[in-house]
């Protein structure tokens, strides 16, 4: 079968000598979106090395959040907003620079339509 004919492919087609186990693949990413859109109670969790923003500090020590413009954030944020999503990751600064309680408040202020869950680390580890 043609490599794009996902319904006809099996593991046996891809790896000679292996048991005939169906390979479940989607031909288009829209198929996944259509399935999840029809089920509004789904949850999406992104576990990434970084949160979808960076903490910036000015010379007075005031902290602000700057949204990341990377591909992962751009691609996943709309889906997280629609699907009761959560993003887990490192906020980009250690707990000595921004204590946990303050970081939680900053994360709550991000308010991009999904939950932000920071992974706290010491400045030494970060």
């Amino acid at each position: 079968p043609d490599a794009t004919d996902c319904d006809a492919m099996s593991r046996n087609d891809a790896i000679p000598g292996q048991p005939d186990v169906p390979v479940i693949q989607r031909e288009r990413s829209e198929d996944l979106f259509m399935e999840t859109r029809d089920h509004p109670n789904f949850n999406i969790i992104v576990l990434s090395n970084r949160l979808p923003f960076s903490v910036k500090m000015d010379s007075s020590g005031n902290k602000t959040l700057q949204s990341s413009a990377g591909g992962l954030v751009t691609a996943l944020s709309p889906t997280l907003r629609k699907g009761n999503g959560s993003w887990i990751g490192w906020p980009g600064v250690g707990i000595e620079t921004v204590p946990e309680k303050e970081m939680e408040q900053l994360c709550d202020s991000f308010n991009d339509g999904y939950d932000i869950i920071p992974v706290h680390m010491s400045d030494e580890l970060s």
Side-chain angles (χ1 to χ4, degrees), residues 26-93:
R26 297 281 179 212
E27 291 185 35
R28 297 181 315 269
S29 61
E30 295 88 32
D31 292 339
L32 178 60
F33 175 73
M34 295 300 287
E35 284 182 14
T36 55
R37 185 182 65 182
D38 295 335
H39 302 282
N41 294 325
F42 71 96
N43 296 316
I44 296 178
I45 298 172
V46 173
L47 178 59
S48 176
N49 63 323
R50 294 292 300 263
L51 290 174
F53 57 78
S54 297
V55 177
K56 301 294 180 187
M57 291 185 2
D58 65 18
S59 58
S60 302
N62 297 320
K63 297 162 191 83
T64 58
L65 302 180
Q66 180 177 2
S67 292
S68 299
L72 189 63
V73 174
T74 303
L76 294 179
S77 287
T79 304
L80 288 169
R81 280 187 216 105
K82 291 178 183 175
N84 191 30
S86 299
W87 193 302
I88 302 169
W90 177 58
V93 293

Coordinates of all heavy atoms in Angstrom, one line a residue, residues 26-93:
R26 N -3.7 9.2 11.7 CA -4.6 10.2 11.1 C -4.0 10.7 9.8 O -2.8 11.0 9.8 CB -4.9 11.3 12.0 CG -5.5 10.9 13.3 CD -7.0 10.7 13.1 NE -7.6 10.2 14.3 CZ -8.6 9.4 14.3 NH1 -9.2 8.9 13.2 NH2 -9.2 9.0 15.5
E27 N -4.9 10.8 8.8 CA -4.4 11.4 7.6 C -4.2 12.9 7.7 O -3.4 13.5 7.1 CB -5.3 11.1 6.4 CG -5.2 9.6 6.1 CD -6.0 9.3 4.8 OE1 -6.1 10.1 3.9 OE2 -6.6 8.2 4.8
R28 N -5.1 13.6 8.5 CA -5.0 15.0 8.6 C -5.2 15.4 10.1 O -5.9 14.7 10.9 CB -6.2 15.7 7.9 CG -6.1 15.4 6.4 CD -7.3 16.1 5.7 NE -8.6 15.9 6.4 CZ -9.5 14.9 6.1 NH1 -9.2 14.0 5.2 NH2 -10.6 14.8 6.8
S29 N -4.5 16.4 10.5 CA -4.6 16.8 11.9 C -6.0 17.4 12.2 O -6.4 17.3 13.4 CB -3.5 17.9 12.2 OG -3.7 19.1 11.4
E30 N -6.7 17.8 11.2 CA -8.1 18.3 11.5 C -9.0 17.2 12.0 O -9.9 17.4 12.8 CB -8.7 18.8 10.2 CG -8.1 20.0 9.6 CD -6.9 19.7 8.7 OE1 -7.0 18.6 8.0 OE2 -5.9 20.4 8.6
D31 N -8.7 15.9 11.7 CA -9.5 14.8 12.3 C -9.4 14.8 13.8 O -10.4 14.6 14.4 CB -8.9 13.5 11.7 CG -9.2 13.3 10.2 OD1 -10.1 14.0 9.7 OD2 -8.5 12.5 9.6
L32 N -8.2 15.0 14.3 CA -8.1 15.0 15.8 C -8.9 16.2 16.4 O -9.6 16.0 17.4 CB -6.6 15.1 16.2 CG -6.4 15.1 17.7 CD1 -6.9 13.9 18.4 CD2 -4.9 15.3 18.0
F33 N -8.8 17.4 15.7 CA -9.5 18.5 16.2 C -11.0 18.3 16.2 O -11.7 18.6 17.1 CB -9.1 19.8 15.4 CG -10.0 21.0 15.9 CD1 -9.7 21.6 17.1 CD2 -11.0 21.4 15.1 CE1 -10.5 22.7 17.5 CE2 -11.8 22.5 15.5 CZ -11.5 23.1 16.7
M34 N -11.5 17.7 15.1 CA -12.9 17.4 15.0 C -13.4 16.5 16.1 O -14.4 16.7 16.7 CB -13.2 16.8 13.6 CG -13.0 17.8 12.5 SD -13.9 19.3 12.6 CE -15.5 18.7 12.1
E35 N -12.6 15.5 16.4 CA -13.0 14.5 17.5 C -13.0 15.2 18.8 O -14.0 15.0 19.6 CB -12.0 13.4 17.5 CG -12.2 12.3 16.4 CD -11.2 11.2 16.6 OE1 -10.6 11.0 17.6 OE2 -11.1 10.4 15.6
T36 N -12.0 16.0 19.1 CA -12.0 16.7 20.4 C -13.1 17.8 20.5 O -13.6 18.0 21.6 CB -10.6 17.2 20.7 OG1 -10.2 18.1 19.7 CG2 -9.6 16.1 20.9
R37 N -13.3 18.5 19.4 CA -14.3 19.5 19.5 C -15.7 18.9 19.8 O -16.5 19.6 20.4 CB -14.4 20.2 18.1 CG -15.3 21.4 18.1 CD -15.4 22.1 16.8 NE -15.9 21.1 15.8 CZ -16.1 21.3 14.5 NH1 -15.7 22.4 14.0 NH2 -16.6 20.4 13.8
D38 N -16.0 17.7 19.3 CA -17.3 17.1 19.6 C -17.4 16.6 21.0 O -18.5 16.1 21.4 CB -17.5 15.9 18.6 CG -17.6 16.5 17.2 OD1 -18.0 17.6 17.0 OD2 -17.3 15.7 16.2
H39 N -16.3 16.6 21.8 CA -16.3 16.1 23.1 C -15.7 17.2 24.0 O -14.5 17.2 24.3 CB -15.5 14.8 23.3 CG -16.0 13.7 22.4 ND1 -17.1 13.0 22.7 CD2 -15.5 13.3 21.2 CE1 -17.3 12.1 21.8 NE2 -16.4 12.3 20.8
P40 N -16.6 18.1 24.5 CA -16.1 19.3 25.2 C -15.4 19.1 26.5 O -14.8 20.0 27.1 CB -17.3 20.2 25.3 CG -18.5 19.2 25.3 CD -18.0 18.1 24.4
N41 N -15.5 17.9 27.1 CA -14.9 17.6 28.4 C -13.5 17.1 28.3 O -13.0 16.5 29.3 CB -15.8 16.7 29.2 CG -17.1 17.3 29.5 OD1 -17.2 18.5 29.7 ND2 -18.2 16.6 29.5
F42 N -12.8 17.2 27.2 CA -11.5 16.6 27.1 C -10.5 17.6 27.8 O -10.8 18.8 27.9 CB -11.1 16.4 25.7 CG -10.9 17.6 24.8 CD1 -9.6 18.1 24.6 CD2 -11.9 18.2 24.2 CE1 -9.4 19.2 23.9 CE2 -11.7 19.3 23.4 CZ -10.4 19.8 23.2
N43 N -9.4 17.1 28.3 CA -8.3 17.9 28.9 C -7.0 17.7 28.1 O -6.7 16.6 27.7 CB -8.0 17.5 30.3 CG -9.2 17.7 31.2 OD1 -9.9 18.8 31.1 ND2 -9.6 16.8 32.0
I44 N -6.3 18.7 27.9 CA -5.0 18.7 27.2 C -4.0 19.2 28.2 O -4.1 20.3 28.8 CB -5.0 19.5 25.9 CG1 -5.9 18.9 24.9 CG2 -3.6 19.5 25.3 CD1 -6.0 19.6 23.6
I45 N -2.9 18.4 28.4 CA -1.8 18.9 29.2 C -0.5 18.9 28.4 O -0.2 18.0 27.7 CB -1.6 17.9 30.4 CG1 -2.9 17.8 31.3 CG2 -0.4 18.3 31.2 CD1 -2.9 16.8 32.3
V46 N 0.1 20.1 28.4 CA 1.4 20.2 27.8 C 2.5 20.2 28.9 O 2.4 21.0 29.8 CB 1.5 21.5 27.0 CG1 2.9 21.8 26.5 CG2 0.5 21.5 25.9
L47 N 3.5 19.4 28.8 CA 4.6 19.3 29.7 C 5.8 19.7 28.9 O 6.2 19.0 28.0 CB 4.8 17.9 30.3 CG 5.9 17.7 31.2 CD1 5.8 18.7 32.4 CD2 6.0 16.3 31.7
S48 N 6.3 20.9 29.1 CA 7.4 21.4 28.3 C 8.5 21.9 29.3 O 8.3 22.1 30.5 CB 6.9 22.6 27.5 OG 7.9 23.3 26.8
N49 N 9.7 22.1 28.7 CA 10.8 22.6 29.5 C 10.6 24.0 29.9 O 11.2 24.5 30.9 CB 12.2 22.4 28.8 CG 12.2 23.2 27.5 OD1 11.3 23.3 26.8 ND2 13.4 23.7 27.2
R50 N 9.8 24.8 29.2 CA 9.5 26.2 29.5 C 8.0 26.5 29.5 O 7.3 25.8 28.7 CB 10.2 27.1 28.5 CG 11.7 27.1 28.5 CD 12.3 27.7 29.8 NE 12.0 29.1 30.0 CZ 12.7 30.1 29.6 NH1 13.9 29.9 29.1 NH2 12.3 31.4 29.9
L51 N 7.6 27.5 30.2 CA 6.2 27.9 30.1 C 6.1 28.8 28.9 O 7.1 29.2 28.3 CB 5.9 28.7 31.4 CG 5.8 27.9 32.7 CD1 5.6 28.8 33.9 CD2 4.6 26.9 32.6
P52 N 4.8 29.1 28.5 CA 4.6 29.9 27.2 C 4.9 31.4 27.4 O 4.5 32.2 26.6 CB 3.2 29.6 26.9 CG 2.5 29.4 28.2 CD 3.6 28.7 29.1
F53 N 5.7 31.7 28.4 CA 6.1 33.1 28.6 C 7.4 33.2 29.3 O 7.9 32.2 29.9 CB 5.1 33.9 29.4 CG 4.7 33.3 30.7 CD1 5.6 33.5 31.8 CD2 3.6 32.5 30.9 CE1 5.3 32.9 33.0 CE2 3.3 32.0 32.1 CZ 4.2 32.1 33.2
S54 N 8.0 34.4 29.3 CA 9.3 34.6 30.1 C 9.0 35.7 31.1 O 8.2 36.6 30.9 CB 10.4 35.1 29.2 OG 10.7 34.1 28.2
V55 N 9.6 35.6 32.3 CA 9.5 36.6 33.3 C 10.6 37.6 33.0 O 11.8 37.3 32.9 CB 9.7 36.0 34.7 CG1 9.6 37.1 35.8 CG2 8.6 35.0 35.0
K56 N 10.2 38.9 32.9 CA 11.2 40.0 32.7 C 11.2 40.9 33.9 O 10.1 41.2 34.5 CB 10.8 40.8 31.4 CG 10.8 40.0 30.1 CD 12.1 39.5 29.8 CE 12.0 38.6 28.5 NZ 13.3 38.0 28.2
M57 N 12.4 41.3 34.3 CA 12.5 42.2 35.4 C 13.2 43.5 34.9 O 14.2 43.5 34.2 CB 13.3 41.6 36.5 CG 12.6 40.5 37.2 SD 13.4 39.7 38.6 CE 14.9 40.5 39.0
D58 N 12.6 44.7 35.4 CA 13.2 46.0 35.0 C 14.2 46.3 36.1 O 14.4 45.6 37.1 CB 12.1 47.0 34.8 CG 11.3 47.4 36.0 OD1 11.7 47.1 37.1 OD2 10.2 47.9 35.8
S59 N 14.8 47.5 35.9 CA 15.9 47.9 36.9 C 15.3 48.2 38.3 O 16.1 48.1 39.2 CB 16.5 49.2 36.4 OG 15.6 50.2 36.2
S60 N 14.0 48.4 38.4 CA 13.4 48.6 39.7 C 13.0 47.3 40.4 O 12.5 47.3 41.5 CB 12.2 49.5 39.6 OG 12.5 50.7 39.0
G61 N 13.2 46.2 39.7 CA 12.8 44.9 40.2 C 11.3 44.5 39.9 O 10.9 43.5 40.4
N62 N 10.6 45.3 39.2 CA 9.2 45.0 38.8 C 9.3 43.8 37.8 O 10.1 43.8 36.8 CB 8.5 46.2 38.2 CG 8.4 47.3 39.2 OD1 8.1 47.1 40.4 ND2 8.6 48.5 38.7
K63 N 8.4 42.9 37.9 CA 8.3 41.7 37.1 C 7.1 41.8 36.2 O 6.0 42.1 36.6 CB 8.3 40.5 37.9 CG 9.6 40.3 38.8 CD 9.4 39.4 39.9 CE 10.6 39.4 40.9 NZ 10.4 40.5 41.8
T64 N 7.3 41.4 34.9 CA 6.3 41.3 33.9 C 6.4 40.1 33.1 O 7.5 39.5 33.1 CB 6.3 42.5 32.9 OG1 7.5 42.6 32.3 CG2 6.0 43.8 33.7
L65 N 5.4 39.6 32.5 CA 5.4 38.4 31.7 C 5.4 38.8 30.2 O 4.7 39.7 29.8 CB 4.2 37.6 31.9 CG 4.0 37.1 33.4 CD1 2.8 36.2 33.5 CD2 5.3 36.3 33.8
Q66 N 6.3 38.2 29.4 CA 6.3 38.4 28.0 C 6.0 37.1 27.3 O 6.7 36.1 27.5 CB 7.7 38.9 27.6 CG 7.8 39.1 26.1 CD 9.2 39.7 25.7 OE1 10.1 39.9 26.6 NE2 9.4 40.0 24.5
S67 N 5.0 37.1 26.5 CA 4.6 35.8 25.8 C 5.7 35.4 24.9 O 6.3 36.2 24.2 CB 3.3 36.1 25.0 OG 2.2 36.3 25.8
S68 N 5.9 34.1 24.8 CA 6.8 33.5 23.9 C 6.2 33.5 22.5 O 5.0 33.2 22.3 CB 7.2 32.1 24.3 OG 7.8 32.1 25.6
A69 N 7.0 33.7 21.5 CA 6.6 33.7 20.1 C 7.0 32.4 19.4 O 6.9 32.3 18.2 CB 7.1 34.9 19.4
G70 N 7.4 31.4 20.1 CA 7.9 30.1 19.5 C 6.8 29.3 18.9 O 5.6 29.5 19.1
G71 N 7.2 28.4 18.1 CA 6.3 27.5 17.3 C 5.4 26.6 18.2 O 4.2 26.5 17.9
L72 N 5.9 26.1 19.3 CA 5.1 25.3 20.2 C 4.0 26.1 20.8 O 2.8 25.6 20.9 CB 6.0 24.7 21.3 CG 5.4 23.6 22.2 CD1 5.0 22.4 21.3 CD2 6.3 23.2 23.3
V73 N 4.3 27.3 21.3 CA 3.3 28.1 21.9 C 2.2 28.5 20.9 O 1.0 28.4 21.1 CB 3.9 29.4 22.5 CG1 2.8 30.4 23.0 CG2 4.9 29.0 23.7
T74 N 2.7 28.9 19.7 CA 1.8 29.3 18.6 C 0.9 28.2 18.2 O -0.3 28.4 18.0 CB 2.6 29.8 17.4 OG1 3.4 30.9 17.9 CG2 1.7 30.3 16.3
A75 N 1.4 27.0 18.2 CA 0.6 25.8 17.7 C -0.3 25.3 18.7 O -1.5 24.9 18.4 CB 1.6 24.7 17.3
L76 N 0.1 25.3 20.0 CA -0.7 24.6 21.0 C -1.7 25.5 21.8 O -2.7 25.1 22.3 CB 0.2 23.9 22.0 CG 0.9 22.7 21.4 CD1 1.8 22.1 22.5 CD2 0.0 21.7 20.8
S77 N -1.4 26.8 21.9 CA -2.2 27.7 22.7 C -3.7 27.7 22.3 O -4.6 27.6 23.1 CB -1.7 29.1 22.7 OG -0.5 29.2 23.5
P78 N -4.0 27.8 21.0 CA -5.5 27.8 20.6 C -6.2 26.5 21.0 O -7.3 26.5 21.5 CB -5.5 27.9 19.1 CG -4.2 28.5 18.8 CD -3.2 28.0 19.8
T79 N -5.5 25.4 20.9 CA -6.1 24.1 21.3 C -6.3 24.0 22.9 O -7.3 23.5 23.4 CB -5.2 22.9 20.8 OG1 -5.1 23.0 19.4 CG2 -5.8 21.6 21.2
L80 N -5.3 24.5 23.6 CA -5.4 24.5 25.1 C -6.5 25.4 25.5 O -7.3 25.1 26.4 CB -4.1 25.0 25.7 CG -2.9 24.1 25.6 CD1 -1.6 24.8 26.0 CD2 -3.1 22.9 26.4
R81 N -6.8 26.5 24.8 CA -7.9 27.4 25.2 C -9.2 26.7 25.0 O -10.1 26.9 25.8 CB -7.8 28.7 24.3 CG -6.9 29.7 24.8 CD -7.0 31.0 24.0 NE -5.7 31.5 23.8 CZ -5.0 31.5 22.7 NH1 -5.5 31.0 21.6 NH2 -3.7 32.0 22.7
K82 N -9.3 25.9 23.9 CA -10.6 25.3 23.6 C -10.8 24.0 24.4 O -11.9 23.6 24.5 CB -10.6 24.9 22.1 CG -10.7 26.1 21.2 CD -10.7 25.7 19.8 CE -10.7 26.9 18.9 NZ -10.6 26.6 17.5
G83 N -9.7 23.5 24.9 CA -9.9 22.1 25.6 C -9.5 22.0 27.0 O -9.0 21.0 27.4
N84 N -9.8 23.1 27.8 CA -9.6 23.0 29.2 C -8.1 22.5 29.5 O -7.9 21.6 30.2 CB -10.6 22.0 29.9 CG -10.6 22.0 31.4 OD1 -10.3 23.0 32.0 ND2 -10.9 20.9 32.0
G85 N -7.2 23.3 28.9 CA -5.8 22.8 28.9 C -5.0 23.4 30.1 O -5.4 24.3 30.8
S86 N -3.9 22.7 30.3 CA -2.9 23.1 31.3 C -1.5 23.0 30.6 O -1.2 22.1 29.9 CB -2.9 22.2 32.5 OG -4.2 22.2 33.1
W87 N -0.6 24.0 31.0 CA 0.8 24.0 30.5 C 1.6 23.9 31.7 O 1.6 24.8 32.6 CB 1.0 25.3 29.7 CG 2.3 25.3 28.9 CD1 3.6 25.0 29.4 CD2 2.4 25.4 27.5 NE1 4.5 25.1 28.4 CE2 3.8 25.3 27.2 CE3 1.6 25.7 26.5 CZ2 4.3 25.5 25.9 CZ3 2.1 25.8 25.2 CH2 3.4 25.7 24.9
I88 N 2.5 22.9 31.8 CA 3.4 22.7 32.9 C 4.8 22.9 32.4 O 5.2 22.4 31.3 CB 3.3 21.3 33.4 CG1 1.8 21.0 33.9 CG2 4.2 21.0 34.6 CD1 1.6 19.5 34.2
G89 N 5.6 23.7 33.1 CA 6.9 24.0 32.7 C 7.7 24.9 33.6 O 7.1 25.4 34.6
W90 N 8.9 25.1 33.3 CA 9.8 26.0 34.1 C 9.5 27.5 33.7 O 9.5 27.8 32.5 CB 11.2 25.6 33.9 CG 12.3 26.5 34.6 CD1 12.3 26.7 35.9 CD2 13.3 27.2 33.9 NE1 13.4 27.5 36.2 CE2 14.0 27.8 35.0 CE3 13.8 27.3 32.6 CZ2 15.2 28.6 34.7 CZ3 14.9 28.1 32.4 CH2 15.6 28.7 33.4
P91 N 9.4 28.4 34.6 CA 9.1 29.8 34.3 C 10.3 30.6 33.8 O 10.1 31.7 33.4 CB 8.6 30.4 35.6 CG 9.1 29.5 36.7 CD 9.3 28.1 36.1
G92 N 11.5 30.0 33.8 CA 12.6 30.7 33.3 C 13.5 31.4 34.3 O 14.5 32.0 34.0
V93 N 13.0 31.4 35.6 CA 13.8 32.0 36.7 C 13.7 31.1 37.9 O 12.7 30.3 38.0 CB 13.3 33.4 37.1 CG1 13.6 34.4 36.0 CG2 11.8 33.4 37.4

